[in-house]
Amino acid sequence: MNICYAIYGDEFHLLTLQNIKSILRFVLPQEKVNIYIIYNGVIKHKHIDYTYIETPLDIQKLPLMHQRIYIPEILHTSTGIDRVLFLDSDVYATCNISELWRVELRQKILGAVPHYHFKTIQQILQYYGLSELYDKTTHSKRQVFNGGVKLINIESYLSSDVISTYNNKVLMNKKYSVINNEEPFINDIFAGRWLELDGKWNHYPGMEWKSRCLIHPYGHDVAGIRKVPNNTHITSRYPV
């Protein structure tokens, strides 16, 4: 199982290490897990059991969120792996995730879970002021996925036009303040090219926790989230 994180220096390093522990505590003795941490800046205390990969200098010039589009390329160049599970630093495991790793992507480039707050591509583009990107023919009423948990087929990813298309769209829309957020752009690009995963693999803890395997508070403090009682709603940074 290959798991990857992307961080900037020590800012999310400790949180990342804490949540890696939550994953590894459920790993069975016969299961092998490779942890890759792609980083910019200085990491003060690298964990000896994990592989740290410094982001290439030319990519470091991009806003951090846009650097994520290059993760499969960085991993392929540095490690040669052809499949990876990308996780945000605030994703916390409550079960063994080997079932997720074994999901067959069925010729899709990646697998992801529908967004908790945004239901359609049209909605997320409207929210970010990018309505002109909406294409009725391509998008229709397609669902939106959250980018914090992605199971990626690296070979399919690199053989597609993902990176070049992404860069072109960002360049064309650089006048917008949303330019530092990758989520509307990846949903535009991957429309019809991603497999919907069970919601338990990227669960926003606004409702029940039962039978949820990966808890993802979408940027809220994970330590605080864990103390929230069941069925307690957490105010979102996005409108519901």
Side-chain angles (χ1 to χ4, degrees):
M1 188 187 314
N2 302 315
I3 301 175
C4 172
Y5 297 84
I7 62 175
Y8 183 84
D10 270 343
E11 184 177 1
F12 292 103
H13 190 215
L14 179 59
L15 177 62
T16 300
L17 295 181
Q18 289 175 340
N19 287 321
I20 290 173
K21 286 182 180 179
S22 76
I23 290 173
L24 295 182
R25 68 177 176 170
F26 295 106
V27 172
L28 299 177
Q30 67 270 25
E31 296 174 334
K32 178 174 175 54
V33 180
N34 301 310
I35 303 293
Y36 301 98
I37 300 177
I38 300 175
Y39 71 98
N40 292 357
V42 177
I43 301 294
K44 295 179 182 178
H45 305 289
K46 294 183 178 180
H47 194 291
I48 191 171
D49 294 324
Y50 309 150
T51 300
Y52 289 82
I53 304 171
E54 186 173 9
T55 305
L57 293 178
D58 57 331
I59 297 177
Q60 287 187 29
K61 297 176 182 178
L62 302 173
L64 184 61
M65 298 302 283
H66 291 326
Q67 293 177 23
R68 291 184 174 192
I69 201 71
Y70 290 93
I71 288 175
E73 180 180 280
I74 293 171
L75 287 173
H76 183 72
T77 301
S78 302
T79 69
I81 62 174
D82 57 10
R83 181 179 171 94
V84 70
L85 174 62
F86 170 81
L87 299 176
D88 271 354
S89 294
D90 59 343
V91 173
Y92 180 81
T94 63
C95 73
N96 186 306
I97 64 171
S98 60
E99 177 188 341
L100 170 58
W101 177 252
R102 292 194 297 268
V103 169
E104 173 55 55
L105 290 177
R106 305 173 197 167
Q107 300 185 345
K108 300 291 187 180
I109 295 176
L110 60 83
V113 173
H115 208 287
Y116 177 78
H117 303 295
F118 301 114
K119 305 307 178 186
T120 65
I121 292 181
Q122 183 178 21
Q123 187 180 8
I124 193 172
L125 293 178
Q126 287 178 336
Y127 175 77
Y128 282 111
L130 296 168
S131 296
E132 63 190 66
L133 288 181
Y134 181 70
D135 184 331
K136 290 183 179 180
T137 301
T138 303
H139 297 147
S140 183
K141 295 182 179 180
R142 292 184 187 277
Q143 286 183 302
V144 173
F145 65 86
N146 174 264
V149 177
K150 296 190 292 288
L151 182 61
I152 305 171
N153 182 324
I154 294 180
E155 183 178 356
S156 296
Y157 189 105
L158 296 180
S159 63
S160 70
D161 58 351
V162 169
I163 294 178
S164 60
T165 301
Y166 183 91
N167 288 332
N168 288 336
K169 286 186 179 293
V170 170
L171 184 63
M172 290 170 58
N173 294 278
K174 63 180 181 180
K175 61 182 178 180
Y176 297 103
S177 59
V178 70
I179 196 62
N180 290 333
N181 191 308
E182 96 286 10
E183 207 156 60
F185 297 104
I186 59 175
N187 272 285
D188 177 25
I189 292 170
F190 286 105
R193 304 162 79 180
W194 63 283
L195 176 72
E196 179 180 343
L197 300 176
D198 190 298
K200 69 183 180 181
W201 299 120
N202 188 352
H203 180 67
Y204 180 81
M207 298 178 69
E208 77 286 350
W209 287 39
K210 187 177 181 180
S211 300
R212 307 304 178 186
C213 294
L214 288 176
I215 306 299
H216 183 199
Y218 287 22
H220 292 278
D221 176 56
V222 176
I225 289 292
R226 292 175 195 157
K227 299 175 184 177
V228 176
N230 288 351
N231 301 319
T232 300
H233 181 71
I234 300 170
T235 302
S236 166
R237 58 186 172 134
Y238 299 121
V240 177

